[in-house]
């Protein structure tokens, strides 16, 4: 049997795909077939529900010591674009967002600030928790946690333990980029490496903090490196079952150092990558089509390529818009619900742990 018939047979029987299968899938240009297979797995794992949540992004600062070559958001302290939020500003943003009684989550991701002490972050988290105990705080990527621990000279476990005690409820999935030291050496040598990113996720899961996983693709990586990235996540998920969702981020080159060298990848590649992620990550319940990154029509199309989650209302996205992101910076619940309904699926409002708030049959 040729490899694609073998793969289809495996998917239909629920047999795990191998590395060679993953590489073969990336070489396949039959995007309709890939979508059909991914949709079959999506249907089997999560049925017709498509999840969204009501959330607010807050980026405490864009000053960043890592200065990754793919990032247009981070800058040096003396840049004209740099900003730092005070605790009062953060609380004011949260208070304004919390006027919407539907708000359930604050998503907090920032640059790696050179001088802010760890106590500053604990204070912000503890103050947010005290004022808004009903809000889930999804805060600090594995890269940030790794950086904070190093700065403070304490272990990853101790850093996570203190953040959990202060009020962090889960970790967002950013900073994974491509888990390959070759790629990281080229793109982001000044932050957690592959092993360190995975070690933080594992430590978080082991202490009961769930996290998300992501992949930033469409830059200097090979297809084999995409497959190895997905398999590294799958292996850790086998061990901990602590990842809630997987998100793939197509690289946006505008205003980054790579703008001249790399073109934004195609819609074709975006759909293939979405589908192959769904197929390889057989132990992930949720695949998120992050509309901010993809734009809303592409996020909608992704629901036919394995995705079952469309993220949230977001409000004021900064990271992707700095890199030329074309989607809105915020969406109403009505727009999200309409987008899901147009696909014939059932919109489901969820909380940050994927508990169902309401099913909009
Ligand atoms: O870590 C940065 C990526 C991430 C670019 O966990 C870029 O639910 C494309 O973590 N082109 C930050 N991607 C966003 C993030 C996130 C967003 C939404 C939901 C969740 C979640 C997490 O964005 C970074 C990096 O991987 N990124 N620059 C760029 N130019």
């Amino acid at each position: 049997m040729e490899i694609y018939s073998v793969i289809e047979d495996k998917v239909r029987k629920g047999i795990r795909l191998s590395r060679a299968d993953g590489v073969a899938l990336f070489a396949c240009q039959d995007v309709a077939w890939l979508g059909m297979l991914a949709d079959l797995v999506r249907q089997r794992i999560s049925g017709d529900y498509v999840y969204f949540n009501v959330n607010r992004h807050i980026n405490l600062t864009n000053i960043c010591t890592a200065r990754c070559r793919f990032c247009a958001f981070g800058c040096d302290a003396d840049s004209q674009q740099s900003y730092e939020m005070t605790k009062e500003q953060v609380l004011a943003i949260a208070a304004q967002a919390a006027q919407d009684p539907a708000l359930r989550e604050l998503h907090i991701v920032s640059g790696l600030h050179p001088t802010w002490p760890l106590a500053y972050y604990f204070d912000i988290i503890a103050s947010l928790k005290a004022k808004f105990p009903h809000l889930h705080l999804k805060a600090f990527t594995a890269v940030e946690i790794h950086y904070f621990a190093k700065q403070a000279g304490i272990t990853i476990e101790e850093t996570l333990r203190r953040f959990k005690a202060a009020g962090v409820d889960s970790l967002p999935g950013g900073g994974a980029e491509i888990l390959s030291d070759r790629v990281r050496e080229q793109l982001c040598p000044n932050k957690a490496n592959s092993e360190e990113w995975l070690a933080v996720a594992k430590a978080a899961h082991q202490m009961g903090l769930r996290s998300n996983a992501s992949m930033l693709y469409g830059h200097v990586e090979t297809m084999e490196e995409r497959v190895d990235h997905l398999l590294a996540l799958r292996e850790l998920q086998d061990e901990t079952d602590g990842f809630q969702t997987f998100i793939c981020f197509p690289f946006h080159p505008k205003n980054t150092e790579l703008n001249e060298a790399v073109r934004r990848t195609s819609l074709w590649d975006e759909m293939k990558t979405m589908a192959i992620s769904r197929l390889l990550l057989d132990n992930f319940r949720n695949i998120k089509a992050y509309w901010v990154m993809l734009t809303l029509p592409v996020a909608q199309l992704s629901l036919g390529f394995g995705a079952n989650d469309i993220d949230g209302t977001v409000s004021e996205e900064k990271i992707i818009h700095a890199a030329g992101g074309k989607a809105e910076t915020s969406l109403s619940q009505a727009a999200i619900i309409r987008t899901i309904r147009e696909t014939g699926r059932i919109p489901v409002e969820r909380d940050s742990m994927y508990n169902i708030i309401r099913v909009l049959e």
Side-chain angles (χ1 to χ4, degrees), residues 51 212 244-245 286 288 309 350-356:
Y51 298 97
N212 294 339
Q244 303 219 88
T245 187
N286 305 299
K288 188 186 278 191
D309 185 335
R350 61 164 175 85
D351 69 12
S352 307
M353 309 302 285
Y354 284 82
N355 298 307
I356 293 175

Side-chain angles (χ1 to χ4, degrees), residues 270-282:
E270 286 180 4
M271 292 306 102
K272 278 178 63 175
T273 307
M274 188 69 70
I276 296 167
S277 301
R278 176 61 289 173
L279 291 170
L280 289 182
L281 296 175
D282 55 7

Side-chain angles (χ1 to χ4, degrees), residues 70 107 138 172-175 177 212 216 247 250 252 288 290 320 323:
F70 58 77
H107 166 118
K138 184 177 76 178
E177 327 312 1
N212 294 339
L216 169 67
I247 319 147
H252 286 54
K288 188 186 278 191
Y290 181 41
I320 290 310

